[in-house]
Amino acid sequence: MNTATDPLYTARPSAFGNIDPFLVRLLIVMSMTFSLLPPGFNWGHTDPSGSYAEGSLIFQIEFGSVFAIGAMLAWRNRGWSWRHVLHLNPFLILMVAYCAATMLWSPYPIVTLKRVIQLIGLVLVGIAISPPVGGPQQLIRTMLGTLMVLMGISFVVALAIPSVGIDYELGAAWRGIMTQKNTLGAIAGLCVVFWLKESLGQVFPRALCYAGMLFAFFILVMAKSSTAILVATLGSAIYMVVRKRYLTGQFESRRIVLVLAMAAMLALLVFHTLESRLPDIDELLSPITAIFNKSTDLTGRTDIWRLVLLEINKHPIFGIGYGAFWLGEGSPSQSIIDILHWIPLQAHNGYLDIFNELGIVGLCLLALVFIYHIVSLVRLTAFDREEAAIHWAMLILILISNLSESEVFRGVLFQNIFFLYSSTSISARLTVHRMQQEQQEQQEQQRQALAKQQPGKNLEPRGPAR
């Protein structure tokens, strides 16, 4: 859709008040940056934000300011905001409501309340920055700029201050200014997909796109996150397939072979970077876990999964309470801490964590949230394949990553913000499209009515009346 000629975008100042695009970009930058950096900017303590019951004052100030600006922007455009709320993913609203209801049986109701406030705040910000207040490409491009700046700073820190930027306990993997190496790898993988998207457009020079993609790939490799490498590759493939341009035309079979060959070369390059050697024949024929020299227990994750499943059996229907399990020593996770002899702060499987905290009810609601999101993407694909393709890729990244890292519906963690903003953006685009169709139908009805009154005149539409 060409927003330059779209009356819902060109008329924003009169329809939505004095909109400052700077506020929209500022909200995206602040929320993404605060979610990725260590809580309170304390690089000496890099546990995930919001993991303990007592919380952090600096952390609360950070996201409190984000929610306050989002609320202000949503209120200034309250007519659109209310219309947007009515067309949000209904299961997303039910999910938030159910999370709030678990305060009734949560062992830490105040913690549960804080997590619910975070969810509501993020949805509110998502509404505030969505089209038509924010342009359809503003979310992705502002995210890309933010993540590239963070990766650039991480690059400098890893070289200049290796005690902060490199995790020597995990094979000298880079983490930069992020909380851990997997976080740096995840944003690098996203940037690879984003730059791929921009390289196929007309906004940025292709040389800049290729340079950005190469830098993001370099950071991805240095972070040594096999999961991030896998989901970035799959995300790029999904984006190209949905976008469809590179899988059509006279030489379709050659292009498919080329894509497969590039994927194979990428896998060999990743293996050589991680292992400093080429794989032997047994490794080439073994599962993907062997390619990255990972044991079949997924680096000990299955031990945690088994213990979490035992906890789920204690409250399978309604769960223990949203955000009320992984709270360190003395919390309901103490039995797992005693067995593992270290303090985990998640199950390393987002679906298990939802099952544990919200029960089968919450797990079913999560499935419905994703199903409705997919249906919305199908509807968006029907009239804007370009934008739908990147959201498809984003969804695939989230669904796969959530198998090994718990982030979806976990407060203000990056992928949760990512998904909520994507959901609100898609529902906004569908709402705008519906409004456009209604306007066109009304104009056509008016034209036909006028034609009946004056049958002798040519009443073809000539644009809006003065």
Side-chain angles (χ1 to χ4, degrees), residues 96-357:
V96 175
Y98 180 67
C99 289
T102 64
M103 284 189 292
L104 297 175
W105 58 86
S106 170
Y108 291 88
I110 299 302
V111 174
T112 299
L113 175 61
K114 290 179 180 179
R115 302 293 192 272
V116 171
I117 291 174
Q118 291 170 359
L119 282 180
I120 295 174
L122 291 175
V123 172
L124 182 63
V125 172
I127 292 172
I129 65 176
S130 293
V133 178
Q137 301 293 332
Q138 198 163 42
L139 172 62
I140 300 301
R141 287 176 180 154
T142 305
M143 283 181 59
L144 175 58
T146 303
L147 299 184
M148 287 298 293
V149 170
L150 293 176
M151 283 199 302
I153 298 174
S154 294
F155 174 82
V156 174
V157 169
L159 295 179
I161 316 175
S163 60
V164 173
I166 299 179
D167 193 336
Y168 291 102
E169 294 182 359
L170 296 176
W174 284 21
R175 69 183 178 202
I177 58 174
M178 306 301 160
T179 56
Q180 55 174 312
K181 73 180 187 69
N182 289 334
T183 304
L184 182 62
I187 68 170
L190 286 179
C191 286
V192 170
V193 180
F194 289 166
W195 280 121
L196 173 64
K197 171 187 179 297
E198 295 300 339
S199 69
L200 302 176
Q202 305 295 327
V203 176
F204 299 109
R206 288 195 175 182
L208 175 63
C209 296
Y210 294 150
M213 195 182 306
L214 182 62
F215 177 71
F217 179 71
F218 171 78
I219 296 295
L220 179 62
V221 170
M222 296 306 295
K224 298 185 179 181
S225 174
S226 55
T227 301
I229 293 171
L230 176 61
V231 298
T233 304
L234 289 175
S236 299
I238 291 295
Y239 172 75
M240 289 193 296
V241 168
V242 176
R243 194 176 187 273
K244 200 176 179 179
R245 178 173 298 178
Y246 281 106
L247 296 180
T248 57
Q250 183 177 1
F251 302 102
E252 179 178 345
S253 60
R254 295 183 185 180
R255 287 169 178 159
I256 294 176
V257 172
L258 178 61
V259 170
L260 293 176
M262 291 176 62
M265 293 176 62
L266 175 61
L268 289 175
L269 176 60
V270 170
F271 183 93
H272 187 272
T273 301
L274 297 175
E275 299 290 338
S276 298
R277 61 181 177 85
L278 292 175
D280 55 37
I281 187 63
D282 293 333
E283 290 169 322
L284 288 174
L285 298 177
S286 63
I288 295 176
T289 53
I291 293 179
F292 292 103
N293 198 29
K294 301 286 189 181
S295 61
T296 55
D297 68 348
L298 298 176
T299 322
R301 288 190 178 101
T302 53
D303 293 335
I304 302 179
W305 295 353
R306 283 191 292 267
L307 295 173
V308 172
L309 285 172
L310 294 176
E311 293 295 326
I312 290 173
N313 289 332
K314 300 177 182 178
H315 34 253
I317 306 300
F318 301 109
I320 190 173
Y322 181 56
F325 187 77
W326 299 106
L327 297 173
E329 293 183 344
S331 72
S333 62
Q334 183 64 52
S335 60
I336 296 179
I337 295 173
D338 293 338
I339 295 173
L340 297 178
H341 303 293
W342 57 281
I343 304 177
L345 296 174
Q346 57 166 296
H348 287 283
N349 185 304
Y351 308 108
L352 276 182
D353 273 330
I354 290 292
F355 198 178
N356 185 33
E357 295 182 358

Side-chain angles (χ1 to χ4, degrees), residues 374-388:
I374 290 171
V375 171
S376 298
L377 277 174
V378 172
R379 293 168 58 195
L380 180 62
T381 305
F383 66 90
D384 195 338
R385 179 176 294 273
E386 176 67 24
E387 185 178 359

